[in-house]
Structure formats: C-alpha cells, structure tokens
Amino acid sequence: MADKTRKSTAISRVALAARSRLRASVPALALMSALALAAPVQAQTAIPATLMADQVFVDPAGRLVAQGAVEIWHGSIRLTAQRVSYDQSHDSLILEGPLTISDGPDVVVLADQAQLAPALRAGVLTSARLVLDQQLQIAAARMERGTNGVSQLDSVVASSCPVCATNPTPLWEIRAERVQHDENRGQLRFYRTQFRLAGVPIFYAPRLDIPAPGNNRLRGLLRPEVSADSTFGVTVGLPYFIPIGDTQDVTITPSLSSNGMASLGLRYRLARENGGIEVGGQISQDDLLPGGRSLRGYGYVRALFNLSHDWVLTADVLAASEASYLDTYNINDDPRLHGHITLERIRRDHATRVRLLGFYSMRPGDVNDRLPNVAVQGETEHHHTLAGGALTVGMSAHGYYRESNGPFGAGRDVGRSAVDLGWRRSEVLPGGVLTTVAFDARAEHVRIYDDIAYPDPVNRQAAQAMVEFRWPLARAGADGARQVLEPIVQVIESRRSGPGLPNDDHTMPELDEGNLFAFRRYSGEDASDDGSRINAGMRWARHDPDGWTAEALVGRIWRDAPLQGYPAGHSQPLGDTESHWLLAGRVSNTDGYALSMRFLVDPNNSVSRSETNLSWSTARTDVSTTYLYLPASSFESRAFDLSEWQFDLTRRHSNGWATTFGWDYDVGQNLWSAARGGLSFTNECLAVELTVERVFVTPTNSSGDTRFDLSVDLLGIGGRAPSSNSRTCRT
C-alpha cells in the first residue's frame, strides 16, 4: 500500500510540474512523446509509455530529471534506475544506476550507467551484464546496443555458472575481447576468445560462434564426440550442423581414430506439418576385415507422415554393408535386423494396413539366403454389430521370398490370401457369472514355390467355437483393502481341413499371461489349432489403501491330442496334450517398487522356463534386475540353456554426482556377457558423463570389446537448459 501511494504521488508530481511551470512542460511532453514513439515510421501509431518516480523536476540546464526508484514501461521493455535525465538537445536519456533493462522474459541487461535513445533499444551502457534466457550471463566493461538488434560488448566474460563472492571463479567461462550479440539470428560471436575451465585456460580461438540460449538451429560445430575402445583406440568426431530454412537440416560428422580408422556420418531431416523424414548413415574405412583396408558402412531411413483421409505412412529401414559393421561401430547390437514401410488407416469400426518388410540375420550361423528376407502384408478388418454381439470381417494377403532356390525348404517362397469371420457376445448370468460365446472361421488359399515337399496350391479351412465362464468374486476388508478372485474356464473346439503347411511364422511359441486365454494364441497362421482344448485358470488381485498391489495367475491348457507341427518328444510348453503350468505374479507399490515373476512348470514338476523382473526407484536410486531361463531347444534354434542375469544400478548423489554400473551374466555357462559402469556430474552450467562397457561376447562379435564414451555439455548455450541441480551463493 505504501508503494502504491508513493507512485501515485509521483504521478501527481509530474502533472503538477507540467501545470505550474510552462518551461518544464515542453521537455516533459518531449520526453513522453519520445518514449511513446518507438517506431513511428513502421507503425505510424504511438506506443504508450509510462514513467513513475519519487521526484520529477527540471534542472538549471533545462533537462527533465526523474530520480528515486524510477520505472519506465515502453512496449515490452521495462527499465528501472535511480536517476533518469532527458537531454532534448541530443534527444537521449542519461541513466544512473544500478539500472535494469528487461526486454521480455529472455533478455535482461544490468549496468551501472547508460546513455540510451528514447526508444530504450539503442545506446551505450558501462559495466554492463547481459542475461539471456535466464541462463547465460555476459559481463562487459562497455555495451553498445544498436537499433538493428545487434549489440556489441567489450572486454567480456561469459558463463552460465554462478559467480559468488566466496567463489569468484566460475567452473567454466569464455573470455573475449569483443562479442556481438545478434538478437535476430540468436547468435553470439566472440572475437579473440579464451576458454577457461576452473580458471585455467584450455584453448584459444580467433573467433567463436555459439548459439544464444534457446536457439538450437544455428549453423556450426556441435559438441565433439569422444570415445575410446579396444578396437579403434581413441575416436574423435566433430559434428557440423547446417540448417536449411526452418524445416530442413543436415548434420555431417567426420571422425578419426588413433588406429587409422576414418569415417563420415551424414544425417538429413525434413519436417512438414503432416510429419517428417530422417535419412542418414555412415561410410568408414578401416582394416578390421580380412584382406586389408576396406570401405564399408550403413544407412537408414525413418519417416512418419499423416496423409489425407486418416492414412498414416511410416517407414523404418536399416541396412549395413556386412554383418559385423553395426556392432563393431556400436550402432546396433540386435541379432536380427528388420525394417518396414507401412501404410495404414485405423478408424473406430475398421482398420486397413499394407506393409513391406525386410529381415536380415546378424547371427554367424544363419544363412540369410535361406531365411525369408522380404515379406509383403495386406489386411483389412471391419467391425459390425450382429445379434447383440460384435461381428468382425477381415481379409488378408501376404507372401515372403527367399533368395535361395533350394528344393527342400531352403528356397521356399509362399503366398497366402485369406478371409476371416468372427463373432463374439458376452452376457452376465444369474449369480454374476460372465459368459462369453465366440465363433471364428477362416478360409485361405496358399501357393508354395521351390519346395517339393508340399503341394501347390493348397486350400485350407479352419473354424473355432468357444464358450467362456468367468466368475469374479470381490470383497473389501475392514482395513480398506479390496480383493478380487476370478476363476476362468474356456472350452474351445477347433477344426481344420486341408493339407498341412510349413510352419515358418510361429517357430518360437510361448505360453504367458497374454495368450493363455486367447482365442487365437499364435503369432502367425501356419500353426493353427486343431481339436478340442480346455483353458482353465485362476486370477487373484489385492489392492491395499497404503499403495500396495498384488496380482497372481495360475493356469493350464488340456488338449485332446498333441498339437501338430512340433517334433515328437520335444518339450514345448504348448505342444503336448497337457501344457506346462503357468504361474505368474506381480507385486508393486506407489513408492516405486515392483516385482514380477513368471514360471512354467512341466509335468515332471521341473521349472521349464522362468522370468523374474525387479525394479525399485526412488528420488536418488534406481535398481533394475532381470533373470531369464530358457532350456536348450533344437526346435527353437537354441543349442544351450539360456540362463541370463541382468543387473543395473543408478545412484544420484546430492552434490550433482551420479554413478551407474551393471552387468549381463550367463549363470548356466558361468560366463560374463557384458559389464558396464558410468560416472556423471551435473550442475547448473555443466554436464559431464563418462561411461565404460566391456562386451565379452555377442552374437556378431566373439572377440569382445571394451568401449569408453565421454561427453561434456556446457549448459546454458543453445537449446540446452541448465540443470535443476542449481546452487545459490552463501553469505
């Protein structure tokens, strides 16, 4: 209230001074007119300006003076100072500080004194400090602001680190003889530059261009990429960013290593209102392959476009010159590459999709000519309401191609077209029993080439009928906990007519929570059900008001005959007349703890497969561990038992440091697969991360590899904002 009274009195004093003294009214009106006409040529309209101060008077030299908590608002600019004088003869404002000029939320200038034009955008400031986007601070002995949006600062020190009286040396700083700040381009240009780390000069440059805070599309060098490994030694890459307008850019990354490797990476990006595309790759020359120095590389395409009439086009394609390149250069360590180009439309009552897929195995034992490398899919599905239930009508066609021409499956090519019809209806019976009746039918025409073991063509039909009973029982305890117990029984009759087909699209079947009660359980169509089966199980869940949740499932499948398509005597969870028992559970709470387990128990009461996942997350600690066990299986192309333990731990310390470590360990073979660790430091102006990984064995690199990666980010420059781990100066 006292502040409002003071400023109201100040406004009254301005009015009284203008009325009582004729000679004062002229400069007062001139001052207000100058402040009100910042751009008369462009706008031809006056921009309102406001001046408030404790005292306003005309000095003996005829200058209008405002002093004592002076505040001036003019457009987006707000100025505060202790004293402001308007010199009509030079049409300038003389300001005495400490003064502050704020031009919107992104530009703040502090100075001891200044001489500015009436529009407050041009002039000279002494002992100035420029703060950009509340991140980067630039201190200068002198600052000259131009009317064209370009400012020049002399004798400059720039940093986003705090500078305190108890610690006057910032963690990093850029010193320069002169700096140009181009507000229109969002660019800072330093002349005769010296970069210091903890006060120690690191490097010098005659000129250095960096983006102003908030600008992430400035042409120039990006952060260097530094890594070291046992294969290449030390590798240094210098990415160079080239923007092409507001919607396109190119990044070129030349790299050199200490062992003589040279590579050139390229990335092109295009953005449109309806999507975008990214094309990139890398060409390298090294001597890692037999035969001496050779040229090799990889390329990729990623795209997403929203087309008219709800159509969506997506693409994700990755290809390499040979199998070991991606893993050797730490680009991709997947044992099998897959890519696609997809056109699809999904609406409330129908969906249509057309896909072109490609596959390439990176496993040394696989022969890609004998694998289906190219596949084409087309499918459409429509939903209707019929007899109180949901009717689904679908049509599909797909085919795949092998490079090989071998007659007994090595070069088999298949084309298939099919029509599907499905209907499902659910009702609640007396007593709360939820009953579902479903019917599914399929007719398909299949052509098989380059495999004399199967007839061509093949016409096959399949039909299924199901009745399902669920009886959810719920209760609430006195402590507020809620429990649900749900027994489930499905009776399914399946019939298939026509000759058998080669099983190419479902060679690794699984039994889990997702397909125990699935009407169609398989990922493909080659190995469809035939005969009668009963799926039965029990679900249980408990929700505690303290945030704990527990879930459990036990179930099994009984069949009237073994499932065709699986080798006799092969222990597979789904292949025999009685499936393995499925035991699954999950426990979690709102404090970040989660434990999930899945076990398959065979008829001999032995664990045939298991998977356990444990995660724990707090404000400072993240723990994740997984144990997976799969037995050896010639049918699933697994020669040894897989028993892998994966562990990862991240610990964030209060001083900005963080540590990580983890491993992949094969318990069955007593072999380490990989070990990794990292150390990082982050504060308000700097982010440093060092990681090390030792790969002992991979599907494509049996010799192992050790890799180091180092990244350093100067926060507050360009589009990278400072960290939340900020410090404050202590008195």
Side-chain angles (χ1 to χ4, degrees):
M1 182 63 71
D3 186 62
K4 293 182 178 179
T5 303
R6 176 180 62 81
K7 296 190 182 298
S8 299
T9 303
I11 296 174
S12 300
R13 288 176 179 172
V14 173
L16 288 174
R19 289 198 300 267
S20 60
R21 298 184 182 181
L22 179 60
R23 63 173 183 171
S25 64
V26 175
L29 290 174
L31 172 60
M32 302 307 294
S33 299
L35 292 173
L37 296 175
V41 176
Q42 294 87 345
Q44 296 297 327
T45 59
I47 301 176
T50 304
L51 166 68
M52 290 195 296
D54 289 341
Q55 187 179 10
V56 178
F57 60 90
V58 178
D59 67 5
R63 294 175 298 185
L64 181 65
V65 179
Q67 68 180 16
V70 180
E71 295 187 48
I72 300 175
W73 289 271
H74 180 235
S76 62
I77 298 178
R78 177 179 179 266
L79 183 148
T80 64
Q82 286 298 315
R83 180 185 174 95
V84 177
S85 302
Y86 175 65
D87 188 344
Q88 186 179 15
S89 61
H90 295 89
D91 193 27
S92 64
L93 295 172
I94 300 174
L95 302 95
E96 299 177 14
L99 61 92
T100 302
I101 303 174
S102 302
D103 191 355
D106 299 332
V107 179
V108 178
V109 181
L110 301 94
D112 289 342
Q113 60 183 7
Q115 182 175 350
L116 302 177
L120 306 180
R121 294 187 179 275
V124 178
L125 302 92
T126 58
S127 298
R129 186 157 61 101
L130 176 63
V131 182
L132 300 176
D133 202 21
Q134 305 180 26
Q135 299 180 27
L136 184 64
Q137 303 180 46
I138 304 176
R142 181 178 180 274
M143 175 179 177
E144 182 176 349
R145 288 170 58 89
T147 57
N148 58 352
V150 179
S151 302
Q152 179 171 303
L153 300 93
D154 299 325
S155 302
V156 169
V157 177
S159 180
S160 61
C161 303
V163 179
C164 306
T166 57
N167 186 18
T169 303
L171 188 58
W172 67 265
E173 58 184 308
I174 301 176
R175 292 179 175 262
E177 182 179 294
R178 179 166 52 94
V179 172
Q180 284 185 349
H181 174 217
D182 192 333
E183 298 182 30
N184 301 318
R185 299 183 58 193
Q187 182 186 52
L188 293 167
R189 175 165 292 176
F190 293 78
Y191 293 91
R192 297 185 180 179
T193 303
Q194 180 187 100
F195 179 81
R196 295 187 177 187
L197 184 64
V200 179
I202 300 299
F203 72 86
Y204 301 85
R207 199 184 86 178
L208 178 65
D209 292 346
I210 65 173
N215 181 11
N216 54 10
R217 292 190 57 78
L218 181 66
R219 181 187 182 114
L221 291 172
L222 303 180
R223 172 176 56 85
E225 300 173 352
V226 182
S227 64
D229 57 41
S230 55
T231 302
F232 297 112
V234 178
T235 303
V236 178
L238 289 177
Y240 190 82
F241 180 73
I242 306 173
I244 307 174
D246 296 331
T247 60
Q248 303 177 67
D249 58 60
V250 175
T251 303
I252 303 174
T253 307
S255 302
L256 293 173
S257 72
S258 57
N259 78 337
M261 182 275 296
S263 67
L264 180 66
L266 178 67
R267 185 192 69 180
Y268 168 78
R269 299 188 300 180
L270 169 67
R272 290 288 185 261
E273 291 183 358
N274 65 331
I277 186 171
E278 179 179 332
V279 181
Q282 181 174 281
I283 299 176
S284 305
Q285 190 175 47
D286 57 43
D287 54 3
L288 301 179
L289 297 180
R293 200 163 182 83
S294 59
L295 194 67
R296 53 192 185 138
Y298 87 105
Y300 70 90
V301 176
R302 301 188 185 100
L304 187 152
F305 288 97
N306 295 308
L307 308 179
S308 58
H309 305 292
D310 299 328
W311 287 98
V312 178
L313 175 65
T314 58
D316 190 351
V317 180
L318 176 67
S321 57
E322 88 292 321
S324 64
Y325 182 85
L326 297 178
D327 189 57
T328 302
Y329 281 82
N330 198 36
I331 297 167
N332 189 310
D333 58 358
D334 291 340
R336 181 174 292 123
L337 300 182
H338 52 86
H340 72 92
I341 301 175
T342 303
L343 179 65
E344 63 183 355
R345 180 172 67 180
I346 300 176
R347 291 180 172 176
R348 184 183 63 85
D349 57 351
H350 70 270
T352 302
R353 181 171 65 179
V354 180
R355 308 184 74 185
L356 174 64
L357 301 102
F359 302 92
Y360 188 86
S361 177
M362 311 292 282
R363 300 178 186 271
D366 288 347
V367 180
N368 279 284
D369 286 352
R370 299 182 179 181
L371 299 177
N373 305 109
V374 180
V376 179
Q377 285 183 342
E379 53 190 1
T380 181
E381 186 176 285
H382 295 259
H383 295 265
H384 308 276
T385 300
L386 178 66
L391 176 67
T392 302
V393 180
M395 293 181 291
S396 63
H398 80 264
Y400 53 82
Y401 170 77
R402 288 179 170 91
E403 292 287 345
S404 172
N405 294 319
F408 294 100
R412 180 172 56 242
D413 306 322
V414 177
R416 173 190 282 120
S417 61
V419 177
D420 291 272
L421 184 67
W423 179 80
R424 175 184 290 262
R425 179 177 177 177
S426 299
E427 294 287 346
V428 179
L429 301 180
V433 177
L434 178 63
T435 304
T436 300
V437 178
F439 172 80
D440 182 84
R442 177 181 178 87
E444 55 187 357
H445 176 76
V446 184
R447 301 300 303 267
I448 302 175
Y449 306 94
D450 295 334
D451 192 346
I452 60 177
Y454 294 92
D456 177 49
V458 173
N459 293 312
R460 192 172 69 167
Q461 300 82 35
Q464 294 187 109
M466 180 196 75
V467 57
E468 176 188 88
F469 300 96
R470 295 173 179 255
W471 193 17
L473 305 172
R475 77 171 185 178
D479 57 354
R482 294 176 291 110
Q483 298 187 57
V484 178
L485 183 66
E486 185 183 40
I488 306 171
V489 176
Q490 290 179 331
V491 180
I492 301 176
E493 180 69 23
S494 302
R495 286 291 179 263
R496 185 180 64 197
S497 63
L501 294 176
N503 183 13
D504 285 324
D505 60 6
H506 190 68
T507 59
M508 299 183 68
E510 281 295 330
L511 175 61
D512 55 32
E513 305 92 314
N515 66 7
L516 174 62
F517 300 110
F519 199 15
R520 279 193 177 182
R521 189 170 50 243
Y522 304 109
S523 58
E525 303 296 341
D526 290 343
S528 59
D529 272 312
D530 188 20
S532 303
R533 70 181 188 271
I534 296 177
N535 307 328
M538 182 84 70
R539 293 182 185 272
W540 173 80
R542 185 180 188 275
H543 304 277
D544 194 279
D546 293 334
W548 284 93
T549 298
E551 302 174 3
L553 169 68
V554 57
R556 196 179 193 185
I557 301 173
W558 288 266
R559 305 180 55 86
D560 63 343
L563 191 63
Q564 297 181 9
Y566 297 98
H570 170 70
S571 178
Q572 205 282 329
L574 288 172
D576 211 341
T577 55
E578 295 180 350
S579 77
H580 295 185
W581 282 100
L582 170 64
L583 306 174
R586 175 180 171 83
V587 179
S588 63
N589 70 351
T590 54
D591 294 331
Y593 172 86
L595 171 65
S596 62
M597 296 178 290
R598 178 168 65 94
F599 300 94
L600 293 179
V601 181
D602 63 20
N604 298 322
N605 297 323
S606 299
V607 176
S608 59
R609 304 188 183 203
S610 67
E611 181 179 1
T612 302
N613 296 279
L614 172 64
S615 64
W616 178 50
S617 180
T618 65
R620 292 191 176 182
T621 305
D622 293 326
V623 178
S624 175
T625 182
T626 300
Y627 176 76
L628 177 66
Y629 169 73
L630 295 174
S633 171
S634 58
F635 180 70
E636 299 176 12
S637 302
R638 191 167 50 250
F640 303 97
D641 290 349
L642 177 62
S643 180
E644 186 173 275
W645 177 28
Q646 183 181 42
F647 179 85
D648 287 286
L649 170 66
T650 299
R651 176 66 178 176
R652 292 174 290 275
H653 308 281
S654 58
N655 55 2
W657 289 92
T659 53
T660 63
F661 70 90
W663 61 75
D664 296 339
Y665 180 69
D666 193 324
V667 180
Q669 301 186 56
N670 194 25
L671 293 175
W672 291 97
S673 300
R676 50 195 168 271
L679 181 66
S680 65
F681 172 77
T682 305
N683 65 4
E684 64 285 326
C685 63
L686 183 69
V688 181
E689 184 175 7
L690 174 65
T691 61
V692 57
E693 182 177 15
R694 170 64 180 174
V695 178
F696 296 91
V697 60
T698 67
T700 57
N701 185 7
S702 59
S703 61
D705 184 39
T706 302
R707 181 178 180 86
F708 297 86
D709 283 297
L710 174 65
S711 66
V712 180
D713 278 348
L714 303 181
L715 306 183
I717 294 179
R720 185 77 180 267
S723 165
S724 58
N725 298 320
S726 58
R727 297 172 295 169
T728 57
C729 295
R730 297 182 179 180
T731 58

